[in-house]
Amino acid sequence: MTAAPVLLQGNEAVAEGAIAAGARFFAGYPITPSTEIAETLARRLPEVGGKFIQMEDEIASIAAVCGASLAGTKSLTATSGPGFSLMQEMIGFASMAQIPCVIVDVMRGGPSTGLPTEPSQGDVMQARWGTHGEHSVIALVPSSVLECYTLTIEAFNLSEQYRTPVIILSDALVGHMREAVVLPEPGELRVAERGTPDCEPEDYDTVMSDLDNILPRPPLGSPFRVHVTGLVYNRRSGAPDTEAPEIASDLGRYLREKIYHHRDAIVRVEEMEMADAEVAIFAYGSVARSARAVVKWARAQGAKVGLVRPITLWPFPTAAVEHMAAQVHTVIVPEMNIKQMSWEVQAAVGGRAKVVDYGRVDGKLITPAEIKELVKREFYYHDWRDS
Amino acid sequence: MADAMKPKGPMEIRFSGSGGQGILLAAAIIAEGATAQGKQVVSTQSYGPAARGGASKAEVIVSDEEIDYPEVDAPMINLCLSQAAYGKYAADTRPGGLLLYDSGLVEPDDTVAGCELCGLPFTQAALERLGKKVVANIVAVGALVEVSGVLPADAVEQAVVNRVPERFRELNSEAFRLGRRLAAEARDGTQS
């Protein structure tokens, strides 16, 4: 029997997804438009034996999340642009020390205090490159309330599997939106548990992760001897070593490749009406909803328009974009920033198709009417009965 | 309400007013009532940085089919609880739609044409008959349901009860029924 639909807000769905994924620790500092995630978890976590703590700021919040994860508890924090900026240093620490954790950034207009209550997609590049140094990251973009739930579970799974921070790029529209949803039953979605290395604690120094066998991180306090540092370290012993370039190179390349080597397994893209498309819309998050309406409108009038919607924004879905570029003559990239992902699309398209960027930074969702105008320009002789 | 109010396809409703008037709650109640009816429902909201006094807007789309674009550009039902909201949004009402406003707070003008206008004193009635101005939003929800027939009244009243703390349930139920009565009286030309 299917459960009855419930009316759920995007932010509430993130919180429920975190609980379902087994997260039992949240540290954060309230900020619009993410606050409902903290509010919901403040109530829900104690009910399932978890801990909620409101920290003095966002830097302390992500630090507490790293600490809790090192102690063996799946952990998350939630914030918006200004707080996400403050968290960047510790996100780098989590990358370097390979600490699984989830950071939810409910994007609002920026920079600085910006448009606190209005949606934006201005943090998509910050999610990739906000912390310094060579690193890789995984970022997921929900475009519905149901995805706020399912992608939060997936974010935890990926963070455990690849021992990395995973960022959920929601926005003020998706986060505050309410939808009637039927949540999956417990057990319906896979939940990756934190494992322990498949060896005796005294042999731990002799085993080392490689790209095809990323060992789980043993919790602090277990019989395994664990070294945690932000310095460059020897991947076998975990001890800091900044004297040997080959050690630094091995670690630097490993931190990048442990994600990129697996991107076929990590990256998820939803395609709609792409089989014979001549024009593709590349849209993510809340904007993808407007794009979907436009594809239906165009198809109803015989215009071959399709949608490529990245669910995983980082690592970038290069293969899907290359495939699209070989087929369509134009790719339209509407986004609530100015050209941030369209540059990335252009790089992957590599001149094989025209890339049309369209940006809005006024805190308003790009409408179907705006995208329709862009589509019409690409069909010179089409008879548009319904505008 | 005329059959035009029940078109095929999605029903789009907008609620607007000032922060503190309970605009977001009013929308959430309609959305919850529609969810209980097994409909596809999407509701979005928009408000300024100020908790009170700033502009506040919420929208609900109720449909039998998947809802893509989540916002409402031309509402079939347009509820305005402040003069500022009326000035900003009244003209967006879809031709043939319903423009509902608080007649004690809004002075209608002639910029709006092609839709049904219905002004009722939600706030004044809440204050005078229930002693609580704060439930004016629920009075408005009751009137909206009565005038438009968009959802069964008992489903929405249940959503009202579900959404408010237990000690305020009776008050809010009364507010909902008061709104329905105001609308019915205006429609039938009677006065209680």
Side-chain angles (χ1 to χ4, degrees):
Chain A
M1 192 186 113
T2 317
V6 290
L7 186 71
L8 206 61
Q9 192 197 46
N11 283 341
E12 293 167 350
V14 165
E16 291 301 331
I19 300 270
R24 291 297 179 266
F25 182 83
F26 177 98
Y29 188 82
I31 180 170
T32 300
S34 77
T35 303
E36 295 84 1
I37 299 174
E39 278 176 346
T40 306
L41 286 171
R43 193 181 70 247
R44 289 283 284 123
L45 275 171
E47 292 173 2
V48 294
K51 292 265 187 260
F52 170 93
I53 183 163
Q54 180 174 322
M55 299 298 288
E56 68 268 34
D57 60 28
E58 287 87 346
I59 302 174
S61 300
I62 178 84
V65 162
C66 288
S69 180
L70 284 170
T73 302
K74 290 184 183 176
S75 305
L76 80 156
T77 186
T79 188
S80 185
F84 194 49
S85 293
L86 288 173
M87 289 181 182
Q88 292 302 327
E89 182 184 354
M90 283 301 290
I91 292 174
F93 181 77
S95 283
M96 182 57 126
Q98 303 187 61
I99 303 169
C101 57
V102 171
I103 300 109
V104 187
D105 174 19
V106 187
M107 295 183 285
R108 69 189 218 186
S112 191
T113 312
L115 292 166
T117 59
E118 304 284 0
S120 153
Q121 296 177 322
D123 305 350
V124 294
M125 276 294 167
Q126 188 186 21
R128 177 64 188 90
W129 296 114
T131 196
H132 61 276
E134 194 59 54
H135 66 286
S136 55
V137 74
I138 297 173
L140 310 176
V141 207
S143 76
S144 69
V145 170
L146 183 60
E147 272 191 348
C148 285
Y149 181 86
T150 56
L151 293 186
T152 299
I153 296 174
E154 184 160 331
F156 275 100
N157 290 348
L158 292 167
S159 78
E160 292 296 332
Q161 188 170 354
Y162 298 103
R163 277 180 55 177
T164 180
V166 175
I167 294 160
I168 296 174
L169 288 169
S170 180
D171 67 53
L173 190 127
V174 170
H176 281 162
M177 181 168 65
R178 287 190 169 83
E179 282 188 283
V181 292
V182 177
L183 295 182
E185 298 286 335
E188 214 173 299
L189 297 177
R190 186 180 72 91
V191 170
E193 299 302 338
R194 178 86 54 101
T196 48
D198 186 21
C199 68
E200 294 302 315
E202 54 272 28
D203 298 332
Y204 188 49
D205 277 358
T206 67
V207 297
M208 187 168 81
S209 293
D210 60 48
L211 292 180
D212 292 316
N213 184 27
I214 299 170
L215 300 174
R217 171 179 278 295
L220 295 177
S222 73
F224 293 85
R225 197 169 63 83
V226 177
H227 212 115
V228 182
T229 174
L231 282 168
V232 160
Y233 53 89
N234 182 313
R235 288 207 303 117
R236 188 175 297 278
S237 66
D241 186 344
T242 58
E243 299 300 316
E246 65 275 14
I247 294 280
S249 178
D250 170 67
L251 176 66
R253 289 178 186 281
Y254 176 77
L255 290 180
R256 182 184 192 281
E257 288 306 317
K258 74 171 178 176
I259 306 289
Y260 276 77
H261 180 71
H262 295 288
R263 61 175 156 180
D264 286 349
I266 296 170
V267 169
R268 281 178 52 202
V269 174
E270 182 190 75
E271 295 191 346
M272 174 186 175
E273 301 280 10
M274 279 303 295
D276 61 346
E278 294 165 3
V279 169
I281 305 170
F282 179 97
Y284 51 93
S286 48
V287 177
R289 300 182 71 110
S290 300
R292 199 180 296 139
V294 172
V295 170
K296 288 178 185 171
W297 162 86
R299 286 284 170 175
Q301 303 184 73
K304 292 177 177 171
V305 179
L307 170 68
V308 173
R309 177 174 77 93
I311 296 166
T312 316
L313 211 49
W314 303 114
F316 186 75
T318 305
V321 174
E322 284 175 348
H323 180 74
M324 165 178 77
Q327 180 189 326
V328 302
H329 61 74
T330 304
V331 183
I332 297 168
V333 188
E335 49 187 341
M336 288 192 286
N337 58 51
I338 298 174
K339 302 191 186 194
Q340 290 196 26
M341 292 312 291
S342 93
W343 285 119
E344 206 68 30
V345 171
Q346 217 162 64
V349 164
R352 281 166 293 185
K354 183 168 86 172
V355 176
V356 177
D357 62 79
Y358 183 80
R360 240 181 127 152
V361 289
D362 58 354
K364 300 297 168 204
L365 177 62
I366 293 173
T367 64
E370 289 172 279
I371 303 173
K372 284 177 186 176
E373 286 308 311
L374 300 171
V375 167
K376 283 182 188 172
R377 280 180 217 158
E378 305 306 324
F379 290 88
Y380 301 119
Y381 304 111
H382 200 83
D383 177 24
W384 299 99
R385 297 179 303 277
D386 166 24
S387 60
Chain B
M1 181 89 285
D3 285 346
M5 288 299 299
K6 296 178 187 103
K8 273 191 147 17
M11 170 59 77
E12 303 186 329
I13 311 167
R14 181 184 289 165
F15 306 74
S16 59
S18 301
Q21 282 188 304
I23 296 298
L24 305 187
L25 178 62
I29 284 167
I30 291 292
E32 190 136 329
T35 302
Q37 293 292 302
K39 299 287 187 183
Q40 301 281 325
V41 182
V42 172
S43 175
T44 59
Q45 50 180 260
S46 145
Y47 53 88
R52 285 183 201 287
S56 179
K57 180 181 74 152
E59 294 165 348
V60 181
I61 304 174
V62 180
S63 178
D64 290 323
E65 283 164 22
E66 186 187 22
I67 300 162
D68 296 317
Y69 179 59
E71 299 197 328
V72 172
D73 296 331
M76 183 55 92
I77 302 173
N78 199 0
L79 172 68
C80 301
L81 291 189
S82 74
Q83 189 69 51
Y86 184 94
K88 196 169 177 184
Y89 299 123
D92 294 343
T93 314
R94 181 171 300 193
L98 168 68
L99 174 58
L100 197 59
Y101 60 92
D102 189 317
S103 57
L105 301 175
V106 174
E107 190 66 46
D109 56 34
D110 54 5
T111 60
V112 185
C115 60
E116 179 182 346
L117 263 76
C118 178
L120 294 167
F122 306 124
T123 308
Q124 189 192 341
L127 188 62
E128 288 178 0
R129 304 211 202 166
L130 301 172
K132 297 276 182 196
K133 205 170 90 169
V134 71
V135 292
N137 60 335
I138 307 299
V139 177
V141 167
L144 185 155
V145 167
E146 183 67 26
V147 180
S148 68
V150 63
L151 288 167
D154 52 351
V156 180
E157 186 169 345
Q158 187 60 47
V160 170
V161 167
N162 293 347
R163 272 276 158 180
V164 300
E166 196 170 351
R167 65 186 189 281
F168 297 123
R169 278 180 190 162
E170 193 44 48
L171 171 65
N172 280 274
S173 279
E174 278 182 37
F176 180 77
R177 292 194 290 265
L178 172 60
R180 288 189 63 194
R181 217 160 50 235
L182 285 178
E185 286 163 7
R187 180 186 56 213
D188 305 336
T190 58
Q191 195 75 35
S192 64

